[in-house]
Amino acid sequence: MKKVIYSTPLKFSAVILCALAMAVSSYMVTSGFFREDNVYFFEKSYKDSHSAGSLINSEFVALSRMLEDTTDENGRLHPEKLAGMPSADEWEYYIKVNDKEYSNVKNQTYANFKNSELSMGVSADLSIGYGTSGEVKNRESFANNRASFNGYYFIDSQKDSYQLCVRMGEKNKTEHSARWETMKAAADHAVKIVVALFAFAAAMLIYLLCVTGKKYGSDKIQMMLIDKMFVEITTALFLGIFIGGGALTLLGAAYFIIDENISVANQLAAMAIFVVVSLSVLTLLSLVRNMKNGTFLQRSIIVKVCRFLWKAVKTVVVFLWSTLVRLCKAIRRGMSEAKRTILTVSSKNFSGRFVGIITAAFAVGVCILTVLSLANAAFVVILMIFVGATIIFITRRLVGFERIKEGIEKIKNGDLNHKVENCPDGVIGSMAENINSIGDGLQKSLENEVRAERMKSELITNVSHDLKTPLTSIINYADLLSKETLTPPEANDYVKIIKQKGERLKQLTNDLFDISKVQSGNEEFKIEDIDICLLINQTMAELNERIQQSGLVFKVSSEDKEMFIHADGRKMSRVFENLIINCVKYAMKNTRVYINISYAESDVTVEIKNIAGYEMDFDETEISERFVRGDSSRSTEGSGLGLAIVKSYVEACGGCVEIKKDGDLFKVILIFPK
């Protein structure tokens, strides 16, 4: 489970999902609350909504301008000239200029409109006269909904008293109210989704904060290239992206909203928030990895400067203190000695450390003063270009080194097909090409070796298979001849020798065929729980006659009567049969063979020891290879395949084989998993 939790694809997916959740939530908010010209602010009813107020205000301003456009050259209003007025089911209006009334509804007054919902109006009365500024004093206005935000439109007329009212008709009220209710339901639904998305994004962020830098199978925090920057730069990037990116997103969305491109604003905000959140999370995780790794302070410019200043102050204090101490001692010995001490101390300590620090500080100060004194536009541009080019050059080299390091690591771990790519030209590019050439050479060498090994195994398998048929015929005919009385009498002995050698050759062919099948991966193993103690005892019982004839004494000891291992019973029977037969063949006569069975927490060990009947001059690491025999003179019976079969079968069942020799003591150790 941890392998999945700490995997890089899952971490990358979490970053994308976190940013995607924030982007989708922002899109849900903008598209749910801002739609065309309507805005929803959690109002309780349509009559109190911002949408209704905006619509009424627009119609009122339009009607006011139409009335004002009827003003003649004498400054008098002529509402009788109004044309193209709305129908009463859409908009109800009431106009009164002096004593003349104009309306598309009957029996209406200014007071009726003022006391009804979804209405707006203004009035101006000239009966009181003008103020000191030449404007009418007694003007009033009303709006029977709270969301009218554009103010009121007063007609610029100083010769007429007028009243102007607008009220939403039943058709518009029904249509826009239903539309507003739909928008309200969509916005309320969007709120629930946004809350869920915020919770999901928070969960993804918490997961990333917990697992960032961790890798399955390693307790070391895994750092990235961005983590090598100074933490102040990373923090500035995080704040700049998070705050600056958010501000730019709001400004861009507001620009398109003002331009009445609501859908463009929603899409722009969603995409910008996705980018801002992704980059912000990546920079934040870099800071967290440095904290987990304990390198946050080490990569801090402020800490480095403070440490540098502390060392400088410490050096100065130590210098002054040591100088004072030596000066006091010198005074005791006399002024002449004091002068020499001062000169010695100054030349050794002051010039070596303090002067170096003062010189460095002076050089930095001169550079800063020079920059400040020459700070004009051209110089700043040139300096920025130079610094940018330097940063790009160094960054490319660092990236090249990181890729080379990663490539060497992967080739070392066996990924010979890995290529180091996208490295800068020059020395680093040449190194990358050489590493790729080394990988190609190793890959070709490995392929040739695998091909040669496969061809060798196939050759042995095919030859063994082809030899079986004629060998079977030779053995069968020799068996038939051995049952006959042949002349001359020596022919009977010849037939017995032919049959004996044929049987040995058949056994060698079978052994070759078996080991080739195991090493080529074509052998099937039936893994099950088997009692190793019982298996050894059964094998010894089957070979009891040969053991008795050899004169050897087998001593079997085990820590328990039953010890189970996971292996193939038939193959393990063959393993112990080969080992016991080897003891019978090669052990010194009239000696003891010890078989010790023991177990640990996770494995079972079988140790077989005997005294060799010949001088063992073989290599322990090569004796288990095919056709390698302990008797280098090859004067004894054997094919050199017994231990090779043992090793192949044991390793195929998940165990391992160790062969050791100590003088004439020969030891085989088998280790099986439980």
Side-chain angles (χ1 to χ4, degrees), residues 21 59 85 88 299 444 457 540 593 670:
E59 184 65 24
M85 302 300 290
R299 292 196 170 95
K444 291 180 181 178
S457 298
M540 292 181 61
V593 177
L670 310 180

Side-chain angles (χ1 to χ4, degrees), residues 510 513-519 521-528 530 532 535-536 539 565-579 642-654 657 670 672:
N510 290 335
F513 187 74
D514 291 341
I515 195 171
S516 298
K517 285 178 63 179
V518 175
Q519 293 183 350
N522 296 324
E523 183 74 15
E524 294 182 0
F525 286 81
K526 183 180 179 181
I527 304 300
E528 57 186 353
I530 58 174
I532 191 69
L535 181 63
I536 292 176
T539 305
I565 63 172
H566 294 293
D568 187 319
R570 294 179 63 255
K571 300 299 188 295
M572 289 303 103
S573 177
R574 176 74 179 278
V575 166
F576 290 110
E577 179 182 347
N578 285 1
L579 293 175
L643 290 178
I645 294 175
V646 169
K647 182 179 179 181
S648 299
Y649 281 176
V650 171
E651 290 180 350
C653 292
V657 179
L670 310 180
F672 299 95

Side-chain angles (χ1 to χ4, degrees), residues 141-179:
S141 59
F142 70 88
N144 287 331
N145 84 315
R146 65 178 178 80
S148 178
F149 60 90
N150 286 337
Y152 305 99
Y153 191 92
F154 289 97
I155 299 173
D156 186 15
S157 176
Q158 305 298 334
K159 294 186 178 182
D160 295 309
S161 296
Y162 64 88
Q163 294 176 340
L164 176 62
C165 303
V166 173
R167 181 168 55 200
M168 187 178 294
E170 289 300 324
K171 179 181 179 181
N172 272 344
K173 183 178 179 180
T174 302
E175 178 182 346
H176 291 289
S177 176
R179 185 179 180 187

Side-chain angles (χ1 to χ4, degrees), residues 5-142:
I5 294 175
Y6 293 155
S7 64
T8 301
L10 186 60
K11 296 177 185 177
F12 179 77
S13 300
V15 174
I16 298 299
L17 290 175
C18 180
L20 191 61
M22 295 298 294
V24 172
S25 63
S26 68
Y27 183 79
M28 293 289 294
V29 169
T30 54
S31 61
F33 289 81
F34 298 92
R35 184 182 300 174
E36 296 178 358
D37 295 333
N38 299 322
V39 182
Y40 174 63
F41 287 129
F42 295 101
E43 299 95 347
K44 294 182 179 180
S45 62
Y46 178 67
K47 67 179 181 179
D48 298 325
S49 68
H50 180 282
S51 177
S54 177
L55 193 62
I56 296 170
N57 186 81
S58 299
E59 184 65 24
F60 174 78
V61 171
L63 185 59
S64 300
R65 287 176 176 172
M66 290 174 63
L67 179 60
E68 189 175 17
D69 289 341
T70 65
T71 305
D72 60 15
E73 64 274 5
N74 296 320
R76 307 301 295 269
L77 298 174
H78 295 276
E80 68 276 3
K81 296 182 180 181
L82 291 173
M85 302 300 290
S87 60
D89 58 344
E90 294 180 349
W91 291 101
E92 299 175 358
Y93 68 89
Y94 172 80
I95 301 173
K96 182 178 181 181
V97 178
N98 297 325
D99 294 330
K100 296 181 179 181
E101 296 181 348
Y102 303 90
S103 178
N104 60 353
V105 290
K106 297 180 179 180
N107 301 323
Q108 292 295 330
T109 63
Y110 181 82
N112 291 340
F113 273 82
K114 187 175 181 179
N115 295 325
S116 60
E117 297 176 348
L118 300 175
S119 62
M120 182 178 292
V122 297
S123 67
D125 192 354
L126 299 181
S127 61
I128 298 178
Y130 300 97
T132 56
S133 61
E135 295 183 357
V136 179
K137 281 186 176 181
N138 55 332
R139 286 180 172 178
E140 74 165 351
S141 59
F142 70 88

